[in-house]
Amino acid sequence: MANQETREKWADKVRAKLTGRSADQIWPLLEDFFNLHKWLPAIDTCVMELKGHQGQPGCIRYCVVSTSSDDSREVIRKWACEKLIAIDPR
């Protein structure tokens, strides 16, 4: 039961309605699972965590954002590992 709760807690879906551009223009950007840092410049690193299913369901990306606190010179790194579950080009 706890395992199912954990999966539900961390699972999410992303959808967006595109306006002003065709799917053929946008899809090349979206299908590259490892280019998130190109869209969000605050991301320092966005790389493939495990070799294998590059850009296919099952691949995992590792993203890092580095910030510094206001009162010190300490660099704080926040990270996320995200697994691509499914992809639907339609």
Side-chain angles (χ1 to χ4, degrees), residues 70-90:
D70 293 336
D71 57 349
S72 73
R73 296 181 185 195
E74 179 184 12
V75 174
I76 300 166
R77 289 185 177 83
K78 297 179 183 179
W79 60 271
C81 281
E82 301 172 323
K83 183 176 184 179
L84 181 63
I85 303 299
I87 219 168
D88 183 358
R90 293 177 287 162

Side-chain angles (χ1 to χ4, degrees), residues 40-59:
L40 303 170
I43 296 177
D44 300 321
T45 303
C46 183
V47 296
M48 186 175 10
E49 174 72 10
L50 301 171
K51 301 292 182 193
H53 305 20
Q54 183 171 354
Q56 300 297 317
C59 66

